[in-house]
Amino acid sequence: MRSREGDVPAAVTWGLLAAWAIHDTEELITMGGWVDRARPRLRRRFPRVPDRVWDLMRVTPAQAAIAIGAVGVVVAAAAADGARTGGRSRFYQAALLGFGLHTGSHVAQSAITGGYTPGVVTAPIVAAPFSIWAVRRLRRAGVPIDPGGSPASALLFAGGTILAAQGLARLLVRNRDIH
């Protein structure tokens, strides 16, 4: 199966959604309640951090599911746009590069916290390799890589999407709990 323009396999564009789904399934399973489970280790590692900070970092299973679903909508739209444009869409390329680059944050979080963090298993074995493969495949097909500026802008896109999704999830869960 090939994307619309014929020179880029659909696995390059729609594969973003598939790789994201695998990666975020790990996060869906582990993110909700992770801070509570990791709190003893985090307190030992960072004794000066007040409990209020750990409380603010808490993500419930409902919040995790909503945030992951919201990001999924963005990733699906990016993959579809990538398929429509043969991988040339800036939106798709920003999502692809942001997805790949964000894997470093998973590894860094685990190194900083001294243990498992949600997403750290699939980040280096699924997300990063897929992103590298897809970018190489796009280049081999002659597709210019321009996510709208630089790798930094792709990271900002990914980070902004994640923060917006987490904010939406917190708002929806808080409003649900109020009513």
Side-chain angles (χ1 to χ4, degrees):
M1 185 173 171
R2 295 211 170 261
S3 62
R4 183 171 169 254
E5 295 211 358
D7 55 353
V8 174
V12 172
T13 54
W14 288 110
L16 173 61
L17 182 58
W20 172 86
I22 293 166
H23 173 63
D24 274 51
T25 296
E26 177 192 359
E27 291 183 338
L28 181 63
I29 293 167
T30 61
M31 189 182 300
W34 174 81
V35 168
D36 293 332
R37 293 187 303 274
R39 194 176 284 214
R41 171 173 46 95
L42 295 171
R43 279 186 179 147
R44 283 190 305 276
R45 193 150 176 107
F46 307 102
R48 291 191 170 142
V49 174
D51 281 340
R52 176 152 166 64
V53 171
W54 303 127
D55 291 343
L56 289 171
M57 290 177 57
R58 293 172 100 187
V59 175
T60 67
Q63 288 169 329
I66 292 167
I68 289 168
V71 172
V73 169
V74 174
V75 173
D81 202 36
R84 182 184 63 77
T85 62
R88 287 165 174 78
S89 158
R90 281 182 154 187
F91 176 39
Y92 162 74
Q93 289 183 10
L96 173 64
L97 293 177
F99 179 62
L101 291 170
H102 102 284
T103 62
S105 68
H106 284 288
V107 174
Q109 287 170 357
S110 286
I112 291 166
T113 63
Y116 178 84
T117 56
V120 74
V121 172
T122 54
I125 65 171
V126 175
F130 169 77
S131 298
I132 292 166
W133 172 81
V135 167
R136 285 180 178 164
R137 191 64 182 85
L138 288 169
R139 285 189 174 135
R140 200 171 328 132
V143 175
I145 306 298
D146 180 12
S150 67
S153 63
L155 265 178
L156 286 172
F157 171 79
T161 300
I162 292 165
L163 286 174
Q166 285 290 342
L168 174 66
R170 286 182 185 274
L171 178 68
L172 292 176
V173 169
R174 182 175 58 224
N175 285 345
R176 187 183 72 191
D177 291 343
I178 290 171
H179 294 95

